[in-house]
Amino acid sequence: MSKSKKPVVVYGASGYTGRLVCEYLREYNLPFVAAGRSKDKLEDAMKSHVPGIETASYEIVEVPHTVDALTELFKGASVVLNTVGPFAKFGPEVVQACLAAKCHYTDTTGEQDWLITLDEQYSAKFDAAGLLLSPGLAQMYTTGEIAAQLCLETPGLDTLDIAVFWGGSPTIASTQTILVNAAMAKAYYLEQNNYVEWQPDAGLYSLSIPGQHEAALALPWGGTSHPVWFKKDPRVSNVKVLGGVFNKPLMLGVPQIVAAALKATEGMNPDDRYAALAKTAAGVMNSMPPRENPRINKSVDSVHASGPLARAHCVIFGNCNYKQTGMLQAFAAASLLQQPPRRAGFASGCQAFGHHELLGALRSFGLVQAPVLTVHR
């Protein structure tokens, strides 16, 4: 396999999120390799599902999912944008190949256990090499982190209460990840800088959403990225995150689907359990969702930040959460090709690129409104 002549590699480019990453790389006029395990799927995805692809500079590469093959592909590139999940299962080979090929790494994960693994096992190695290791660069985590960082510009705040909601349904890969993560990993929030496990059988939480009268249903979604990002932030001691979709019937069904899948796979070895959960996920969602419509696929990221003598609340209203993810990934690549990240090693999107910079990029593409920030001292 020849060395890459393009500076950016999108691994998993044929998936729903991967296509959007490629679309925004085209918007940034960045040459890229669309890589994955099936050349036919990659070709179909690029030609049929990436608007304006005929004006992009790209090539398609089929690659086995092994460290050696991925390392060979990544040589000559600068940035790898990984969308192949569940990341706890498929991510290690990609991360190891990035380190060997000396490439920056980002992904779109929401798997808290994967972030903790990266922080503990790979952060120092990437830092020593001057490389960025930034998992979870996606709307469900980064847009809320932007809101949190805006709140934390007010000194004296140490507690973050974060909520994220969106309109639409999970993709095939997201559905699989939800089930696998629920079955094979614990979910944590941050309390006095320590990880504390969410009550596994707590069920749905009822939350108020800014901008509407009706309450909504939410879940911890595996704990999310935020408790991991802020664990080493000296300003922050406590972080809890809940989220959900606006579709109440869909939310009501999620705990039942997860509980049934867990019971059906109880006692299986990890490989058999993963295979059974993947099969269950395919039965729940086995087709690509339609392309997002900004009139339907809305998003709300809300952060209440508090301290002993201060309060702040930031809300970011937006649309098309998967498009936000695609744009954030492309912006990261564009930034890394021009300058080093603000922090090497394990770092969030805001820590690596700046929350004002990421917010400006989202706004420039019409994906979010100006934040609504209220501060009480």
Side-chain angles (χ1 to χ4, degrees):
M1 189 178 296
S2 62
K3 291 184 179 181
S4 170
K5 296 181 181 179
K6 309 292 185 187
V8 181
V9 177
V10 182
Y11 186 50
S14 62
Y16 189 87
T17 304
R19 300 170 182 179
L20 290 168
V21 174
C22 294
E23 179 178 333
Y24 283 98
L25 288 172
R26 171 197 166 274
E27 295 278 356
Y28 275 100
N29 198 30
L30 295 179
F32 64 91
V33 173
R37 289 169 286 183
S38 170
K39 185 177 181 180
D40 291 341
K41 289 183 179 180
L42 289 164
E43 289 179 343
D44 176 68
M46 293 303 105
K47 293 178 181 177
S48 303
H49 301 287
V50 180
I53 192 63
E54 66 279 359
T55 64
S57 173
Y58 75 102
E59 60 182 285
I60 290 172
V61 176
E62 183 179 273
V63 59
H65 188 76
T66 67
V67 175
D68 289 344
L70 291 169
T71 300
E72 187 63 26
L73 171 63
F74 297 165
K75 287 179 180 177
S78 296
V79 185
V80 174
L81 311 177
N82 182 22
T83 68
V84 178
F87 294 88
K89 182 173 180 63
F90 296 111
E93 293 87 348
V94 188
V95 170
Q96 291 166 26
C98 282
L99 194 57
K102 296 181 173 56
C103 291
H104 298 292
Y105 173 93
T106 75
D107 69 32
T108 58
T109 190
E111 301 162 51
Q112 192 180 80
D113 59 327
W114 173 235
L115 271 82
I116 293 172
T117 296
L118 290 179
D119 186 20
E120 293 176 348
Q121 297 183 14
Y122 295 100
S123 179
K125 295 176 183 178
F126 271 75
D127 190 15
L131 298 171
L132 175 65
L133 179 65
S134 187
L137 187 62
Q139 181 274 329
M140 192 173 175
Y141 320 101
T142 307
T143 309
E145 188 195 1
I146 293 170
Q149 294 287 358
L150 290 171
C151 288
L152 290 170
E153 290 178 357
T154 298
L157 305 177
D158 61 13
T159 297
L160 299 175
D161 177 6
I162 302 174
V164 53
F165 283 88
W166 68 98
S169 59
T171 63
I172 299 171
S174 294
T175 303
Q176 181 175 328
T177 299
I178 290 167
L179 288 179
V180 171
N181 202 237
M184 306 180 78
K186 294 181 179 181
Y188 299 101
Y189 59 91
L190 196 64
E191 185 174 285
Q192 295 303 312
N193 293 112
N194 293 309
Y195 289 131
V196 179
E197 185 181 359
W198 281 94
Q199 184 179 339
D201 57 353
L204 293 162
Y205 295 78
S206 180
L207 294 187
S208 58
I209 303 178
Q212 70 178 50
H213 294 110
E214 185 179 5
L217 300 175
L219 288 166
W221 296 108
T224 79
S225 303
H226 305 90
V228 185
W229 293 138
F230 286 106
K231 192 173 190 297
K232 296 180 181 179
D233 189 319
R235 300 170 297 176
V236 179
S237 299
N238 312 293
V239 181
K240 277 190 174 181
V241 188
L242 291 167
V245 296
F246 294 117
N247 185 332
K248 274 195 172 182
L250 178 58
M251 285 300 298
L252 287 168
V254 171
Q256 299 173 9
I257 294 169
V258 171
L262 297 185
K263 186 175 181 180
T265 61
E266 191 175 5
M268 292 182 176
N269 66 56
D271 289 339
D272 289 343
R273 194 173 204 195
Y274 174 82
L277 291 168
K279 185 177 180 180
T280 300
V284 175
M285 175 64 70
N286 61 3
S287 60
M288 288 283 187
R291 185 175 174 81
E292 290 172 307
N293 182 336
R295 299 179 66 190
I296 298 171
N297 302 107
K298 300 175 184 178
S299 67
V300 177
D301 290 90
S302 175
V303 177
H304 285 283
S306 59
L309 296 173
R311 299 285 187 276
H313 181 213
C314 184
V315 186
I316 300 179
F317 295 98
N319 60 64
C320 302
N321 57 300
Y322 283 101
K323 288 184 181 178
Q324 289 184 47
T325 298
M327 194 290 303
L328 289 166
Q329 289 283 325
F331 174 85
S335 180
L336 289 168
L337 293 178
Q338 296 178 69
Q339 61 186 12
R342 295 187 176 190
R343 182 186 299 182
F346 183 77
S348 71
C350 291
Q351 292 163 350
F353 306 107
H355 57 286
H356 285 288
E357 287 75 7
L358 292 175
L359 175 62
L362 286 167
R363 296 210 65 207
S364 72
F365 282 94
L367 293 168
V368 300
Q369 293 180 353
V372 180
L373 178 62
T374 307
V375 178
H376 301 280
R377 291 186 177 89

